[in-house]
Structure formats: C-alpha cells, structure tokens
Amino acid sequence: MTTRPVADWASDFDVLDPAYVERPFSIWADLRERCPIAHTDRRAPTWMPTRYEDVTAMAHDVKHFSSQRIAVIPLQVNEGNETGQVGEDGPSLEYGLPPISADPPLHTWTRRLLLPWFSHRKVAEYTPFTRELCQRLLDGLAGSDEADAAADYAQQIPVRVIAHILGVPLEMADTFTGWVREVLEFADDIERREHGILSIVEFLSSEMQGRREHPGEDLLSVLLQTEVDGAVLDDAVVLGMAVLLLIAGIDTTWSAIGSSIWHLATHPDDRDRLVQEPELMTLAVEELLRAYSPVTMARMVTEDLEYKGCPMHFEDKVLMNFPAANRDPEFFEDPDTVHLDRENNRHVAFGSGIHRCAGSNLARMELRVALEEWLARIPSFSLVEGTTVKWAGGQVRGPRTLRVRLR
Amino acid sequence: MRIRVDPDKCQGHARCVGIAPELFEVDDYGLSSVTVDPVPEGLEAKARLAVANCPEYAVEVIEE
C-alpha cells in the first residue's frame, strides 16, 4: 500500500508513512519543539500530542476524550456505527470491546471483572507455562545458525499464553495471529480488517456456545456464569470482552518482545551487560518498554473545545501517543538512548489513568521471561548482515521480520 | 522514612511492587498498599525508587 508523501508533519502527518513506521523518533523530537500537538485530515480529522505532559493530561480527562473510538486508523466495524455483526441475527459487538472501548460506568464494572485474571498474583501462576513455552520454542531453534526472532519466537509466545487463559485451542495460534494482524496491520484495507474481526467474533461465539453447555474453569466459562446485579451478563458484553482479550493480548506483547530483541541484537554492549548482570532485568524491562513502547490508542473528542490553542471538534480523533511521551526530553534524561539501569522511569507504555492496560502484569512477565530464556540459550546474537528488518506500525509498532544470527 | 500509596491516584501499574516487593503489596484489582511502616533500615533507596517510578505519582514520601 502506498501513502501520499508527507511534506509537513505538523499539519498533515501520516502514522502509516513508511519512514515514520520504521523510525518515528526524530519526527516526534521535531514536533515537540515546533508543534507539540500535530494535526492531520488524512482518513479522519486527527490530533497527535507528542509531549508527556499533554498525552497524560488527555488520558486522564475521560470526560472530554472518550474511549468510544480507540482505533488509530478508523474502522467502522468496532467504532460504534456498525456492530461487528455476523449474519442477520448473528452475534454482535453492540457494547464494543469493553472495558477498553468503554467510558464509565460500563468501563468500571467490566474492568473489575477482568482485573483479577491479570493480577500480580494470578500472573505468577501463568509464569511456568510461559517459561516452558519459551524453552520449547528455543529447542526448535537449536542447531540453526539463523532465525527470524520476530516470527519464530516473539510472535509465538503471547498468542499461546492468552489462548491458555481464555481456554481456546493452542493449536489455533497461527490462525488467531492471522486474524489479529488483519484487524491491526492492514490499515486502509477495510475489507481485510472486517474479515479479521468477524472471524474472531464468529469463532469466539461458537466457543461461548460450547461452554454454555460444558463450562470449564477458563476465563470465557467464568464470564458466562458471572452475574452482575442479579442477572447473568449479556452475551454481547462477554463476546466484546473476549474479542478484546484476543486482540489486545497478541500483537502488543509480541511487538515489545520483538523490539527488545532487536535492540539487544543491534546493541551488543547492552546485550552483554544483561547477560552478565541478570539482576538488572527488572529495570531493563521497564527501560525497553519505555524506549520501544508498542501501543498507541485513540480517543474521541466529546464536545468542541480548545486545548492549548488547538481547536478540537466533536468526534475528532486524538492519538494517545504513549511511545512519543516516553521519549520526551522534558521528562526523561537522554530519552533516545537506552539506559538499562535507568532509575527515574515513570513511563506510560501501558497508558495512564483509568485505562491503564489491564494486561500489563501479564505483558511485563511475558517480556521478562522471553528475554531471560532467550539470553540463557542464545547469549551472543546479532542482526544478519544486509538483512532488512520489517516493522509494522500505526496502532502497534514492532518488528515483523527480524533475521538474527544465533551464534 | 515513611511512605504511602494514594488509593485515589493508584491505577494498578504495579511498578512499586515490582521494584520493592518487601515494601508493597497489590490486590486482585491492582490497588497497591504499603506493607511495612516505617520503611526498614536499608530499604530507603528501594522506597525512593518506587516513588520515582510510579506513573501516577501515587507513591509518596510522608514528610514528617
């Protein structure tokens, strides 16, 4: 897909511009100085703050910046106008994808249903499964001189962990990954994105049907039996939550793992230091999340307003550019350099305010375990010479092809 | 040294408990709290690190 070249990033930005997808950092630095809240009319009237202060202030102002429309690139099917309905009387997403696409009060109670499944304590229970999974994937690479660290490793991890939690077949991992990529990575190809979301809706609806007859102990079964205010949950609420978990749990963490491996493959000093000082891992994981935050979410302006001189109109999009906020020199010393032992790091890779990523504990654990296991087995690795790293961008940024030499 | 978590600001990032599990715990809904008061000797640096890493400014030193 080609996009019209960008002449002025302040007034006509395009987050799908190939140069931006590959390396947005200098563009953010320029905008922060020159025009900290950029604008575009491409696809939809959209604002893009690049300073930490603005991104976090807007994320906290849920009254004026609603989560009803969270797609960075407009997609009607999950944006309120359409309902993601399969067939005339088929399952639908009439509640969107709560809690991520909801404002209070729907946000509040649906989030409380999910949080215990991703609590600090619960995530510890998923750790052995994740560690064994990583070890198995690395067994598969044993003896090879080269591998695609994105496709053969990073991509394979989060999808299986979330399938395990949801209670859906692990053997379908590649199919789930394909659907989620269709939703998130084919920006202007609306048909393909609709195909992705409708496939997920159809699949999860049929899984729900099976669990109603034979409930298990997985998240989907439990949600189906949950009562709120004396009534079982509406099917469309359960479906929306399940679709959210599958979409949010796959591309995002995979991108964080892939970007971190890319960093270590291209920065041998950091790679060696992490191998020699494993006690650095807690701070290092946060620093890698800061520098390579994968996720940008959108908000919808709820009424005409002016923010720092920017005339925002009802239904305009505002991109919660958490990745740019995390490289703001006003907040982070030497922001474009990774310091594995950075001690002042209030990064917002998982968002800020009431929509803090509900799966952040899980994502952090997966990133940590994936790096620990990789470094234990493959301590000395580098990019294959002459290889082209292929990045995806837009809503989720991370490497999709990452050829590395394993020894 | 005494520290506290402001429950109105805490959004469940769990950075404090990641940095200093000796000082904080986090409930099933993500709300963090301080488990030992005052901060035991030797853990002051970790307490300060937790303060400096909370994205919501929810972890604070209580000024005496």
Side-chain angles (χ1 to χ4, degrees), chain A residues 106-133:
Chain A
L106 175 62
H107 163 269
T108 315
W109 66 264
T110 50
R111 184 173 168 91
R112 276 190 78 79
L113 292 179
L114 288 183
L115 285 173
W117 288 83
F118 301 97
S119 69
H120 204 250
R121 190 174 54 85
K122 192 80 176 170
V123 162
E125 295 174 20
Y126 307 138
T127 307
F129 173 89
T130 308
R131 204 170 284 287
E132 281 161 33
L133 169 62

PDB file of all heavy atoms in Angstrom, chain A residues 106-133:
ATOM      1  N   LEU A 106     -19.836   1.630  32.145  1.00  0.00           N
ATOM      2  CA  LEU A 106     -19.602   0.298  31.572  1.00  0.00           C
ATOM      3  C   LEU A 106     -18.131  -0.101  31.768  1.00  0.00           C
ATOM      4  O   LEU A 106     -17.817  -1.248  32.117  1.00  0.00           O
ATOM      5  CB  LEU A 106     -19.965   0.302  30.077  1.00  0.00           C
ATOM      6  CG  LEU A 106     -19.675  -0.994  29.286  1.00  0.00           C
ATOM      7  CD1 LEU A 106     -20.477  -2.162  29.833  1.00  0.00           C
ATOM      8  CD2 LEU A 106     -20.000  -0.798  27.791  1.00  0.00           C
ATOM      9  N   HIS A 107     -17.237   0.850  31.567  1.00  0.00           N
ATOM     10  CA  HIS A 107     -15.808   0.600  31.749  1.00  0.00           C
ATOM     11  C   HIS A 107     -15.511   0.046  33.139  1.00  0.00           C
ATOM     12  O   HIS A 107     -14.764  -0.919  33.296  1.00  0.00           O
ATOM     13  CB  HIS A 107     -15.025   1.904  31.528  1.00  0.00           C
ATOM     14  CG  HIS A 107     -13.637   1.882  32.062  1.00  0.00           C
ATOM     15  ND1 HIS A 107     -13.321   2.296  33.339  1.00  0.00           N
ATOM     16  CD2 HIS A 107     -12.476   1.455  31.521  1.00  0.00           C
ATOM     17  CE1 HIS A 107     -12.019   2.129  33.544  1.00  0.00           C
ATOM     18  NE2 HIS A 107     -11.493   1.633  32.458  1.00  0.00           N
ATOM     19  N   THR A 108     -16.113   0.667  34.143  1.00  0.00           N
ATOM     20  CA  THR A 108     -15.742   0.387  35.530  1.00  0.00           C
ATOM     21  C   THR A 108     -16.061  -1.055  35.917  1.00  0.00           C
ATOM     22  O   THR A 108     -15.207  -1.770  36.444  1.00  0.00           O
ATOM     23  CB  THR A 108     -16.475   1.367  36.468  1.00  0.00           C
ATOM     24  OG1 THR A 108     -16.376   2.677  35.896  1.00  0.00           O
ATOM     25  CG2 THR A 108     -15.853   1.362  37.860  1.00  0.00           C
ATOM     26  N   TRP A 109     -17.282  -1.498  35.635  1.00  0.00           N
ATOM     27  CA  TRP A 109     -17.634  -2.838  36.114  1.00  0.00           C
ATOM     28  C   TRP A 109     -17.088  -3.943  35.223  1.00  0.00           C
ATOM     29  O   TRP A 109     -16.740  -5.025  35.709  1.00  0.00           O
ATOM     30  CB  TRP A 109     -19.127  -2.978  36.403  1.00  0.00           C
ATOM     31  CG  TRP A 109     -20.075  -2.886  35.216  1.00  0.00           C
ATOM     32  CD1 TRP A 109     -20.742  -1.777  34.806  1.00  0.00           C
ATOM     33  CD2 TRP A 109     -20.469  -3.942  34.334  1.00  0.00           C
ATOM     34  NE1 TRP A 109     -21.525  -2.074  33.711  1.00  0.00           N
ATOM     35  CE2 TRP A 109     -21.384  -3.396  33.412  1.00  0.00           C
ATOM     36  CE3 TRP A 109     -20.157  -5.304  34.240  1.00  0.00           C
ATOM     37  CZ2 TRP A 109     -21.977  -4.144  32.395  1.00  0.00           C
ATOM     38  CZ3 TRP A 109     -20.737  -6.059  33.234  1.00  0.00           C
ATOM     39  CH2 TRP A 109     -21.636  -5.484  32.326  1.00  0.00           C
ATOM     40  N   THR A 110     -16.948  -3.690  33.922  1.00  0.00           N
ATOM     41  CA  THR A 110     -16.359  -4.742  33.076  1.00  0.00           C
ATOM     42  C   THR A 110     -14.866  -4.894  33.401  1.00  0.00           C
ATOM     43  O   THR A 110     -14.326  -6.000  33.407  1.00  0.00           O
ATOM     44  CB  THR A 110     -16.527  -4.428  31.574  1.00  0.00           C
ATOM     45  OG1 THR A 110     -16.085  -3.100  31.296  1.00  0.00           O
ATOM     46  CG2 THR A 110     -17.973  -4.577  31.146  1.00  0.00           C
ATOM     47  N   ARG A 111     -14.207  -3.784  33.698  1.00  0.00           N
ATOM     48  CA  ARG A 111     -12.787  -3.847  34.055  1.00  0.00           C
ATOM     49  C   ARG A 111     -12.585  -4.634  35.357  1.00  0.00           C
ATOM     50  O   ARG A 111     -11.661  -5.431  35.479  1.00  0.00           O
ATOM     51  CB  ARG A 111     -12.245  -2.428  34.194  1.00  0.00           C
ATOM     52  CG  ARG A 111     -10.748  -2.363  34.459  1.00  0.00           C
ATOM     53  CD  ARG A 111     -10.289  -0.917  34.405  1.00  0.00           C
ATOM     54  NE  ARG A 111      -8.951  -0.751  34.912  1.00  0.00           N
ATOM     55  CZ  ARG A 111      -7.846  -0.809  34.160  1.00  0.00           C
ATOM     56  NH1 ARG A 111      -7.938  -1.018  32.878  1.00  0.00           N
ATOM     57  NH2 ARG A 111      -6.660  -0.650  34.705  1.00  0.00           N
ATOM     58  N   ARG A 112     -13.479  -4.420  36.309  1.00  0.00           N
ATOM     59  CA  ARG A 112     -13.360  -5.149  37.588  1.00  0.00           C
ATOM     60  C   ARG A 112     -13.533  -6.657  37.399  1.00  0.00           C
ATOM     61  O   ARG A 112     -12.994  -7.453  38.157  1.00  0.00           O
ATOM     62  CB  ARG A 112     -14.373  -4.622  38.624  1.00  0.00           C
ATOM     63  CG  ARG A 112     -13.881  -3.398  39.358  1.00  0.00           C
ATOM     64  CD  ARG A 112     -14.785  -3.038  40.529  1.00  0.00           C
ATOM     65  NE  ARG A 112     -14.605  -3.868  41.714  1.00  0.00           N
ATOM     66  CZ  ARG A 112     -13.629  -3.721  42.591  1.00  0.00           C
ATOM     67  NH1 ARG A 112     -12.719  -2.775  42.428  1.00  0.00           N
ATOM     68  NH2 ARG A 112     -13.550  -4.510  43.650  1.00  0.00           N
ATOM     69  N   LEU A 113     -14.296  -7.050  36.384  1.00  0.00           N
ATOM     70  CA  LEU A 113     -14.447  -8.490  36.123  1.00  0.00           C
ATOM     71  C   LEU A 113     -13.153  -9.088  35.568  1.00  0.00           C
ATOM     72  O   LEU A 113     -12.839 -10.249  35.823  1.00  0.00           O
ATOM     73  CB  LEU A 113     -15.578  -8.733  35.116  1.00  0.00           C
ATOM     74  CG  LEU A 113     -16.995  -8.436  35.595  1.00  0.00           C
ATOM     75  CD1 LEU A 113     -17.990  -8.711  34.476  1.00  0.00           C
ATOM     76  CD2 LEU A 113     -17.342  -9.269  36.816  1.00  0.00           C
ATOM     77  N   LEU A 114     -12.416  -8.297  34.799  1.00  0.00           N
ATOM     78  CA  LEU A 114     -11.203  -8.824  34.148  1.00  0.00           C
ATOM     79  C   LEU A 114      -9.961  -8.753  35.029  1.00  0.00           C
ATOM     80  O   LEU A 114      -9.099  -9.639  34.968  1.00  0.00           O
ATOM     81  CB  LEU A 114     -10.927  -8.060  32.846  1.00  0.00           C
ATOM     82  CG  LEU A 114     -11.860  -8.345  31.681  1.00  0.00           C
ATOM     83  CD1 LEU A 114     -11.390  -7.562  30.454  1.00  0.00           C
ATOM     84  CD2 LEU A 114     -11.899  -9.834  31.354  1.00  0.00           C
ATOM     85  N   LEU A 115      -9.845  -7.683  35.822  1.00  0.00           N
ATOM     86  CA  LEU A 115      -8.594  -7.432  36.533  1.00  0.00           C
ATOM     87  C   LEU A 115      -8.061  -8.625  37.343  1.00  0.00           C
ATOM     88  O   LEU A 115      -6.859  -8.907  37.287  1.00  0.00           O
ATOM     89  CB  LEU A 115      -8.721  -6.193  37.434  1.00  0.00           C
ATOM     90  CG  LEU A 115      -8.691  -4.848  36.685  1.00  0.00           C
ATOM     91  CD1 LEU A 115      -8.998  -3.695  37.639  1.00  0.00           C
ATOM     92  CD2 LEU A 115      -7.352  -4.626  35.989  1.00  0.00           C
ATOM     93  N   PRO A 116      -8.916  -9.345  38.089  1.00  0.00           N
ATOM     94  CA  PRO A 116      -8.368 -10.456  38.890  1.00  0.00           C
ATOM     95  C   PRO A 116      -7.694 -11.542  38.039  1.00  0.00           C
ATOM     96  O   PRO A 116      -6.822 -12.257  38.529  1.00  0.00           O
ATOM     97  CB  PRO A 116      -9.602 -11.018  39.613  1.00  0.00           C
ATOM     98  CG  PRO A 116     -10.564  -9.879  39.643  1.00  0.00           C
ATOM     99  CD  PRO A 116     -10.343  -9.130  38.356  1.00  0.00           C
ATOM    100  N   TRP A 117      -8.064 -11.642  36.766  1.00  0.00           N
ATOM    101  CA  TRP A 117      -7.445 -12.633  35.890  1.00  0.00           C
ATOM    102  C   TRP A 117      -6.042 -12.221  35.464  1.00  0.00           C
ATOM    103  O   TRP A 117      -5.277 -13.036  34.942  1.00  0.00           O
ATOM    104  CB  TRP A 117      -8.311 -12.844  34.639  1.00  0.00           C
ATOM    105  CG  TRP A 117      -9.552 -13.582  34.954  1.00  0.00           C
ATOM    106  CD1 TRP A 117     -10.716 -13.066  35.441  1.00  0.00           C
ATOM    107  CD2 TRP A 117      -9.761 -14.996  34.852  1.00  0.00           C
ATOM    108  NE1 TRP A 117     -11.626 -14.060  35.638  1.00  0.00           N
ATOM    109  CE2 TRP A 117     -11.071 -15.258  35.268  1.00  0.00           C
ATOM    110  CE3 TRP A 117      -8.969 -16.074  34.425  1.00  0.00           C
ATOM    111  CZ2 TRP A 117     -11.604 -16.538  35.302  1.00  0.00           C
ATOM    112  CZ3 TRP A 117      -9.498 -17.357  34.434  1.00  0.00           C
ATOM    113  CH2 TRP A 117     -10.803 -17.573  34.877  1.00  0.00           C
ATOM    114  N   PHE A 118      -5.727 -10.960  35.659  1.00  0.00           N
ATOM    115  CA  PHE A 118      -4.410 -10.446  35.232  1.00  0.00           C
ATOM    116  C   PHE A 118      -3.688  -9.771  36.393  1.00  0.00           C
ATOM    117  O   PHE A 118      -2.844  -8.913  36.201  1.00  0.00           O
ATOM    118  CB  PHE A 118      -4.599  -9.467  34.053  1.00  0.00           C
ATOM    119  CG  PHE A 118      -5.269 -10.128  32.879  1.00  0.00           C
ATOM    120  CD1 PHE A 118      -6.637 -10.012  32.677  1.00  0.00           C
ATOM    121  CD2 PHE A 118      -4.535 -10.925  32.019  1.00  0.00           C
ATOM    122  CE1 PHE A 118      -7.265 -10.658  31.621  1.00  0.00           C
ATOM    123  CE2 PHE A 118      -5.145 -11.566  30.958  1.00  0.00           C
ATOM    124  CZ  PHE A 118      -6.518 -11.437  30.765  1.00  0.00           C
ATOM    125  N   SER A 119      -4.068 -10.169  37.612  1.00  0.00           N
ATOM    126  CA  SER A 119      -3.458  -9.567  38.798  1.00  0.00           C
ATOM    127  C   SER A 119      -2.008 -10.025  38.927  1.00  0.00           C
ATOM    128  O   SER A 119      -1.580 -11.007  38.318  1.00  0.00           O
ATOM    129  CB  SER A 119      -4.241  -9.967  40.051  1.00  0.00           C
ATOM    130  OG  SER A 119      -4.046 -11.351  40.286  1.00  0.00           O
ATOM    131  N   HIS A 120      -1.298  -9.309  39.763  1.00  0.00           N
ATOM    132  CA  HIS A 120       0.096  -9.632  40.031  1.00  0.00           C
ATOM    133  C   HIS A 120       0.210 -11.096  40.493  1.00  0.00           C
ATOM    134  O   HIS A 120       1.079 -11.842  40.039  1.00  0.00           O
ATOM    135  CB  HIS A 120       0.572  -8.675  41.133  1.00  0.00           C
ATOM    136  CG  HIS A 120       2.041  -8.467  41.139  1.00  0.00           C
ATOM    137  ND1 HIS A 120       2.842  -8.971  42.130  1.00  0.00           N
ATOM    138  CD2 HIS A 120       2.861  -7.829  40.277  1.00  0.00           C
ATOM    139  CE1 HIS A 120       4.089  -8.639  41.871  1.00  0.00           C
ATOM    140  NE2 HIS A 120       4.131  -7.949  40.761  1.00  0.00           N
ATOM    141  N   ARG A 121      -0.694 -11.502  41.371  1.00  0.00           N
ATOM    142  CA  ARG A 121      -0.665 -12.859  41.935  1.00  0.00           C
ATOM    143  C   ARG A 121      -1.016 -13.905  40.863  1.00  0.00           C
ATOM    144  O   ARG A 121      -0.351 -14.924  40.729  1.00  0.00           O
ATOM    145  CB  ARG A 121      -1.696 -12.918  43.076  1.00  0.00           C
ATOM    146  CG  ARG A 121      -1.663 -14.149  43.934  1.00  0.00           C
ATOM    147  CD  ARG A 121      -2.643 -13.983  45.103  1.00  0.00           C
ATOM    148  NE  ARG A 121      -3.995 -13.642  44.656  1.00  0.00           N
ATOM    149  CZ  ARG A 121      -4.905 -14.551  44.274  1.00  0.00           C
ATOM    150  NH1 ARG A 121      -4.613 -15.823  44.292  1.00  0.00           N
ATOM    151  NH2 ARG A 121      -6.100 -14.159  43.876  1.00  0.00           N
ATOM    152  N   LYS A 122      -2.056 -13.618  40.089  1.00  0.00           N
ATOM    153  CA  LYS A 122      -2.516 -14.573  39.081  1.00  0.00           C
ATOM    154  C   LYS A 122      -1.456 -14.751  37.981  1.00  0.00           C
ATOM    155  O   LYS A 122      -1.246 -15.863  37.483  1.00  0.00           O
ATOM    156  CB  LYS A 122      -3.825 -14.061  38.462  1.00  0.00           C
ATOM    157  CG  LYS A 122      -4.555 -15.071  37.622  1.00  0.00           C
ATOM    158  CD  LYS A 122      -5.347 -16.023  38.493  1.00  0.00           C
ATOM    159  CE  LYS A 122      -6.161 -16.989  37.630  1.00  0.00           C
ATOM    160  NZ  LYS A 122      -6.746 -18.051  38.449  1.00  0.00           N
ATOM    161  N   VAL A 123      -0.808 -13.660  37.613  1.00  0.00           N
ATOM    162  CA  VAL A 123       0.191 -13.739  36.551  1.00  0.00           C
ATOM    163  C   VAL A 123       1.349 -14.658  36.958  1.00  0.00           C
ATOM    164  O   VAL A 123       1.921 -15.357  36.117  1.00  0.00           O
ATOM    165  CB  VAL A 123       0.676 -12.314  36.169  1.00  0.00           C
ATOM    166  CG1 VAL A 123       1.990 -12.363  35.399  1.00  0.00           C
ATOM    167  CG2 VAL A 123      -0.396 -11.618  35.329  1.00  0.00           C
ATOM    168  N   ALA A 124       1.643 -14.681  38.251  1.00  0.00           N
ATOM    169  CA  ALA A 124       2.699 -15.594  38.726  1.00  0.00           C
ATOM    170  C   ALA A 124       2.331 -17.043  38.398  1.00  0.00           C
ATOM    171  O   ALA A 124       3.208 -17.867  38.101  1.00  0.00           O
ATOM    172  CB  ALA A 124       2.905 -15.412  40.227  1.00  0.00           C
ATOM    173  N   GLU A 125       1.032 -17.348  38.413  1.00  0.00           N
ATOM    174  CA  GLU A 125       0.597 -18.716  38.082  1.00  0.00           C
ATOM    175  C   GLU A 125       0.804 -19.044  36.605  1.00  0.00           C
ATOM    176  O   GLU A 125       0.935 -20.201  36.235  1.00  0.00           O
ATOM    177  CB  GLU A 125      -0.892 -18.909  38.434  1.00  0.00           C
ATOM    178  CG  GLU A 125      -1.186 -18.824  39.916  1.00  0.00           C
ATOM    179  CD  GLU A 125      -2.683 -18.876  40.198  1.00  0.00           C
ATOM    180  OE1 GLU A 125      -3.458 -19.351  39.340  1.00  0.00           O
ATOM    181  OE2 GLU A 125      -3.072 -18.412  41.290  1.00  0.00           O
ATOM    182  N   TYR A 126       0.784 -18.020  35.739  1.00  0.00           N
ATOM    183  CA  TYR A 126       0.976 -18.271  34.303  1.00  0.00           C
ATOM    184  C   TYR A 126       2.452 -18.340  33.928  1.00  0.00           C
ATOM    185  O   TYR A 126       2.793 -18.652  32.787  1.00  0.00           O
ATOM    186  CB  TYR A 126       0.343 -17.156  33.451  1.00  0.00           C
ATOM    187  CG  TYR A 126      -1.119 -16.842  33.735  1.00  0.00           C
ATOM    188  CD1 TYR A 126      -1.566 -15.523  33.787  1.00  0.00           C
ATOM    189  CD2 TYR A 126      -2.052 -17.847  33.934  1.00  0.00           C
ATOM    190  CE1 TYR A 126      -2.893 -15.208  34.036  1.00  0.00           C
ATOM    191  CE2 TYR A 126      -3.381 -17.547  34.189  1.00  0.00           C
ATOM    192  CZ  TYR A 126      -3.799 -16.230  34.240  1.00  0.00           C
ATOM    193  OH  TYR A 126      -5.114 -15.921  34.479  1.00  0.00           O
ATOM    194  N   THR A 127       3.329 -18.005  34.879  1.00  0.00           N
ATOM    195  CA  THR A 127       4.753 -17.907  34.549  1.00  0.00           C
ATOM    196  C   THR A 127       5.371 -19.241  34.125  1.00  0.00           C
ATOM    197  O   THR A 127       6.079 -19.286  33.106  1.00  0.00           O
ATOM    198  CB  THR A 127       5.521 -17.255  35.713  1.00  0.00           C
ATOM    199  OG1 THR A 127       4.875 -16.027  36.039  1.00  0.00           O
ATOM    200  CG2 THR A 127       6.973 -16.980  35.346  1.00  0.00           C
ATOM    201  N   PRO A 128       5.162 -20.350  34.873  1.00  0.00           N
ATOM    202  CA  PRO A 128       5.775 -21.618  34.431  1.00  0.00           C
ATOM    203  C   PRO A 128       5.339 -22.032  33.029  1.00  0.00           C
ATOM    204  O   PRO A 128       6.158 -22.490  32.229  1.00  0.00           O
ATOM    205  CB  PRO A 128       5.282 -22.637  35.473  1.00  0.00           C
ATOM    206  CG  PRO A 128       4.881 -21.835  36.653  1.00  0.00           C
ATOM    207  CD  PRO A 128       4.422 -20.508  36.129  1.00  0.00           C
ATOM    208  N   PHE A 129       4.062 -21.828  32.704  1.00  0.00           N
ATOM    209  CA  PHE A 129       3.566 -22.146  31.362  1.00  0.00           C
ATOM    210  C   PHE A 129       4.338 -21.345  30.319  1.00  0.00           C
ATOM    211  O   PHE A 129       4.767 -21.870  29.289  1.00  0.00           O
ATOM    212  CB  PHE A 129       2.059 -21.825  31.275  1.00  0.00           C
ATOM    213  CG  PHE A 129       1.480 -21.968  29.890  1.00  0.00           C
ATOM    214  CD1 PHE A 129       0.965 -23.180  29.458  1.00  0.00           C
ATOM    215  CD2 PHE A 129       1.451 -20.876  29.010  1.00  0.00           C
ATOM    216  CE1 PHE A 129       0.439 -23.313  28.167  1.00  0.00           C
ATOM    217  CE2 PHE A 129       0.928 -21.004  27.730  1.00  0.00           C
ATOM    218  CZ  PHE A 129       0.427 -22.220  27.306  1.00  0.00           C
ATOM    219  N   THR A 130       4.520 -20.061  30.612  1.00  0.00           N
ATOM    220  CA  THR A 130       5.213 -19.171  29.673  1.00  0.00           C
ATOM    221  C   THR A 130       6.674 -19.580  29.517  1.00  0.00           C
ATOM    222  O   THR A 130       7.210 -19.614  28.399  1.00  0.00           O
ATOM    223  CB  THR A 130       5.118 -17.710  30.176  1.00  0.00           C
ATOM    224  OG1 THR A 130       3.757 -17.406  30.445  1.00  0.00           O
ATOM    225  CG2 THR A 130       5.674 -16.727  29.154  1.00  0.00           C
ATOM    226  N   ARG A 131       7.318 -19.911  30.639  1.00  0.00           N
ATOM    227  CA  ARG A 131       8.726 -20.285  30.595  1.00  0.00           C
ATOM    228  C   ARG A 131       8.923 -21.570  29.778  1.00  0.00           C
ATOM    229  O   ARG A 131       9.812 -21.656  28.928  1.00  0.00           O
ATOM    230  CB  ARG A 131       9.259 -20.458  32.026  1.00  0.00           C
ATOM    231  CG  ARG A 131      10.758 -20.269  32.146  1.00  0.00           C
ATOM    232  CD  ARG A 131      11.235 -20.214  33.586  1.00  0.00           C
ATOM    233  NE  ARG A 131      10.982 -18.966  34.273  1.00  0.00           N
ATOM    234  CZ  ARG A 131      11.634 -17.816  34.061  1.00  0.00           C
ATOM    235  NH1 ARG A 131      12.587 -17.763  33.161  1.00  0.00           N
ATOM    236  NH2 ARG A 131      11.332 -16.724  34.738  1.00  0.00           N
ATOM    237  N   GLU A 132       8.077 -22.555  30.020  1.00  0.00           N
ATOM    238  CA  GLU A 132       8.190 -23.816  29.254  1.00  0.00           C
ATOM    239  C   GLU A 132       7.945 -23.577  27.767  1.00  0.00           C
ATOM    240  O   GLU A 132       8.610 -24.167  26.909  1.00  0.00           O
ATOM    241  CB  GLU A 132       7.195 -24.855  29.776  1.00  0.00           C
ATOM    242  CG  GLU A 132       7.678 -25.521  31.054  1.00  0.00           C
ATOM    243  CD  GLU A 132       6.540 -26.192  31.825  1.00  0.00           C
ATOM    244  OE1 GLU A 132       5.593 -26.698  31.174  1.00  0.00           O
ATOM    245  OE2 GLU A 132       6.595 -26.184  33.073  1.00  0.00           O
ATOM    246  N   LEU A 133       6.980 -22.715  27.477  1.00  0.00           N
ATOM    247  CA  LEU A 133       6.684 -22.378  26.084  1.00  0.00           C
ATOM    248  C   LEU A 133       7.920 -21.772  25.410  1.00  0.00           C
ATOM    249  O   LEU A 133       8.305 -22.179  24.307  1.00  0.00           O
ATOM    250  CB  LEU A 133       5.502 -21.400  26.060  1.00  0.00           C
ATOM    251  CG  LEU A 133       5.152 -20.699  24.753  1.00  0.00           C
ATOM    252  CD1 LEU A 133       4.770 -21.710  23.688  1.00  0.00           C
ATOM    253  CD2 LEU A 133       3.991 -19.720  24.979  1.00  0.00           C
TER     254      LEU A 133
END
